[in-house]
Amino acid sequence: MKDIKNISRSRAQESSAAIERLYITMRHLFNRGFYKPMGVSGETLREALLSLRPEIYGSIAEEKVELNGLLYVIERLPIGIEECRYINLTSDEGYSNSHFKAIVPPKRRRNCYRIDDEQMNVEITRGRSDIYDILTHLTFIFIESHKIKDRVLIDDEGSVSRDWQKLELAVKQTKKLSLIDREKAISHAANVLGRTFAEVQDIYDDFATAEAPDRFLHVVYWLGKLAIEEVVDNNKRTITFSPILRERLGHHIYGDIWATTIKEVLLKNDLIDRPIHIISANMHSVMNSLFAEPVLGKKYKNTPEFQIFEDLSSSANKELRKKVEDFALSQGMISLPDASGTNIDVQIFDTAKIDFKKTIFAEAKIAKEKPVIIVMDYAFGEQAFETIDELLKPYKTEKKNKIFLNVESVSIMGKAGILEGGKGDIMIPCAHVNEGTADNYPFDNELTKEMFEGNGIPVFAGPMITVLGTSLQNRDLLKFFHESTWQAIGLEMEGAYYQKAIQSASKIRKSINPDVKVRYAYYASDNPLETGSTLASGGLGTTGVKPTYLITIKILEQIFNVK
């Protein structure tokens, strides 16, 4: 028998175990109904996150405060959450009909409500992934807050360092800081954070909002202040889960409302019996690919390819986008802004009303039965299963009749992390592997690597990992997925959930065509294996425009039988 005493775990195995511990703990705390993140109940979460050391959180395990990770997280949490001792995760419980003003984080679509000075309510309507996401982010900022506390608290009585006193004075200023005062405050903040003056100065303006240009100081101060009060006054921060949220989670309540609304609109417009193509993408690429040419084609006659789309993607060109949208609405597009709580807007395109001769799809070969295209905005993690599962179900009319949808294809275009290559590259998966399980979903992808070659963008093909949270991946784990026999080319959060719903609807429930066509293509938003290229390093800018539209056009060409 072999000696097993000296077998040690690799970092990838440790990381995988840490992720598993995180999710089991989160589920346990959710079922319990509340916990104190920096108390005994939150200890497992903190230890697992520190053991994992995710790439996106940089120096989380070091003494110095992690600045890029803090910015990444703060952009995904509601403004003012750093001041709140009580954070309550709720379902949609009617706050939108009250005097409370919804606070929506810049980089996450979720409604949050500041109840009073100490409490922030966060609405969870997008399933478990949303809970995992916010709890991971909160655990990170609480760990960082205690690093600040450790650097400024001198004794158990609550005495603090001079740097902290000076930072407090700067934060309590009611008027905008002058350049001199701001640089003095940055100097004190740098000492508090264990960072250089230059490092703090470089990231300072990224935290700013129009109303709060010195928000960076505010965030640092309040994180440290609550951490100090936890230790000195035993005033622990608490996260609670509302009874309604615990009751509703996992029952597809929001997905059912969302899907039923779409089917009602299809029925009302006599579109429900037509061939249907579902596309998960953003709310502009399909619309612009179809209608930018008829509206703006003459203006962009002698410009480089994709210039028209680059200009439409610029936030400065609202009027240009409005022109295209108005034209699209006149050509049969139906816009359905979300009212269900899923935060997934929808557009429906009736191709019978489109004059293809004026579009870039002039060679479209449309059958007698003109197809209908349903474009849905990006889902979030497990929410992808909930929404597609509900959408592919037959529609029950008031007379209890079932109308089966004639779904011919489901296409998924999204952003993903790449494990070989860089930002803006394209990935064509042949299978999705669900992280943390042996679940895998191979499929015949109608899109191929060859279709995208010759466009000046590197293209990669192979399996992709559907991860439980992009902010929980580290270099060791991702290298394992990439270099082992899995040979994964990238990671994303929804693919396996989409495919699970499509397979159950087509192969088991028989509610849609068993030979439904599927298309998956992703463009790289980051390379988590490359230092300085993680999601925390910032957005894609215009780098994402060409791959977004290239993928969208290839999907539409297949739907319209072009070439």
Side-chain angles (χ1 to χ4, degrees), residues 405-422:
L405 302 186
N406 179 14
V407 178
E408 292 199 347
S409 75
V410 182
S411 305
I412 313 296
M413 188 267 286
K415 287 187 290 192
I418 196 166
L419 300 178
E420 180 185 341

Side-chain angles (χ1 to χ4, degrees), residues 365-494:
K365 298 176 186 71
I366 307 289
K368 190 178 262 186
E369 268 201 297
K370 303 287 189 278
V372 172
I373 299 172
I374 298 172
V375 180
M376 57 179 280
D377 210 342
Y378 301 121
F380 188 72
E382 285 187 32
Q383 188 192 31
F385 177 77
E386 175 178 340
T387 47
I388 291 289
D389 186 56
E390 292 298 329
L391 186 55
L392 298 181
K393 284 179 182 175
Y395 176 55
K396 287 181 185 171
T397 64
E398 288 174 7
K399 295 175 183 175
K400 304 294 181 194
N401 296 330
K402 278 186 183 177
I403 301 175
F404 288 83
L405 302 186
N406 179 14
V407 178
E408 292 199 347
S409 75
V410 182
S411 305
I412 313 296
M413 188 267 286
K415 287 187 290 192
I418 196 166
L419 300 178
E420 180 185 341
K423 287 186 179 187
D425 294 355
I426 289 174
M427 290 161 278
I428 308 296
C430 59
H432 286 112
V433 179
N434 219 345
E435 179 187 44
T437 69
D439 298 354
N440 51 78
Y441 300 88
F443 47 82
D444 293 321
N445 196 342
E446 295 293 314
L447 300 174
T448 64
K449 181 182 176 183
E450 291 68 35
M451 287 177 189
F452 293 89
E453 288 173 340
N455 287 288
I457 298 176
V459 189
F460 300 88
M464 289 183 72
I465 307 296
T466 297
V467 297
L468 294 159
T470 51
S471 61
L472 284 180
Q473 308 310 306
N474 70 12
R475 187 180 296 264
D476 305 289
L477 196 57
L478 297 176
K479 277 180 85 171
F480 165 75
F481 282 133
H482 182 48
E483 294 171 6
S484 71
T485 49
W486 286 115
Q487 295 183 320
I489 56 169
L491 64 145
E492 48 75 58
M493 281 184 67
E494 293 81 27

Side-chain angles (χ1 to χ4, degrees), residues 326-373:
D326 289 346
F327 183 74
L329 291 165
S330 73
Q331 291 273 303
M333 182 180 92
I334 301 167
S335 181
L336 293 177
D338 180 63
S340 68
T342 59
N343 282 310
I344 298 177
D345 296 338
V346 170
Q347 293 164 335
I348 298 171
F349 296 87
D350 178 0
T351 60
K353 294 181 179 175
I354 298 172
D355 183 354
F356 280 98
K357 295 291 177 224
K358 292 179 180 174
T359 71
I360 58 172
F361 306 100
E363 295 172 31
K365 298 176 186 71
I366 307 289
K368 190 178 262 186
E369 268 201 297
K370 303 287 189 278
V372 172
I373 299 172

Side-chain angles (χ1 to χ4, degrees), residues 217-231:
L217 300 177
H218 189 93
V219 169
V220 170
Y221 170 73
W222 276 96
L223 287 179
K225 177 179 162 66
L226 292 189
I228 291 166
E229 288 176 3
E230 279 195 325
V231 173

Side-chain angles (χ1 to χ4, degrees), residues 193-412:
L193 300 169
R195 290 288 185 171
T196 66
F197 179 84
E199 285 173 327
V200 175
Q201 197 171 36
D202 280 349
I203 206 161
Y204 193 92
D205 287 335
D206 295 334
F207 280 81
T209 63
E211 302 78 32
D214 301 302
R215 186 170 173 234
F216 176 82
L217 300 177
H218 189 93
V219 169
V220 170
Y221 170 73
W222 276 96
L223 287 179
K225 177 179 162 66
L226 292 189
I228 291 166
E229 288 176 3
E230 279 195 325
V231 173
V232 176
D233 305 325
N234 202 29
N235 253 340
K236 298 276 190 236
R237 283 172 282 195
T238 306
I239 293 175
T240 53
F241 306 91
S242 81
I244 304 297
L245 174 64
R246 290 157 67 203
E247 186 183 293
R248 286 180 178 173
L249 194 75
H251 295 298
H252 291 202
I253 287 165
Y254 301 105
D256 181 24
I257 297 166
W258 175 83
T260 303
T261 303
I262 295 168
K263 291 166 194 172
E264 283 170 353
V265 170
L266 291 173
L267 185 67
K268 185 183 168 187
N269 290 276
D270 296 323
L271 303 173
I272 203 159
D273 295 318
R274 302 248 293 270
I276 289 171
H277 298 269
I278 298 165
I279 303 176
S280 172
N282 51 56
M283 285 290 98
H284 55 79
S285 60
V286 172
M287 179 179 74
N288 289 346
S289 297
L290 285 169
F291 301 114
E293 179 64 25
V295 177
L296 306 168
K298 286 178 184 173
K299 185 182 173 185
Y300 283 86
K301 204 167 189 178
N302 300 312
T303 58
E305 197 183 11
F306 296 103
Q307 184 63 50
I308 189 170
F309 302 127
E310 211 163 290
D311 287 0
L312 282 165
S313 299
S314 167
S315 54
N317 286 329
K318 282 182 183 172
E319 281 182 29
L320 219 56
R321 287 205 299 276
K322 183 82 169 64
K323 272 186 185 176
V324 175
E325 189 177 352
D326 289 346
F327 183 74
L329 291 165
S330 73
Q331 291 273 303
M333 182 180 92
I334 301 167
S335 181
L336 293 177
D338 180 63
S340 68
T342 59
N343 282 310
I344 298 177
D345 296 338
V346 170
Q347 293 164 335
I348 298 171
F349 296 87
D350 178 0
T351 60
K353 294 181 179 175
I354 298 172
D355 183 354
F356 280 98
K357 295 291 177 224
K358 292 179 180 174
T359 71
I360 58 172
F361 306 100
E363 295 172 31
K365 298 176 186 71
I366 307 289
K368 190 178 262 186
E369 268 201 297
K370 303 287 189 278
V372 172
I373 299 172
I374 298 172
V375 180
M376 57 179 280
D377 210 342
Y378 301 121
F380 188 72
E382 285 187 32
Q383 188 192 31
F385 177 77
E386 175 178 340
T387 47
I388 291 289
D389 186 56
E390 292 298 329
L391 186 55
L392 298 181
K393 284 179 182 175
Y395 176 55
K396 287 181 185 171
T397 64
E398 288 174 7
K399 295 175 183 175
K400 304 294 181 194
N401 296 330
K402 278 186 183 177
I403 301 175
F404 288 83
L405 302 186
N406 179 14
V407 178
E408 292 199 347
S409 75
V410 182
S411 305
I412 313 296

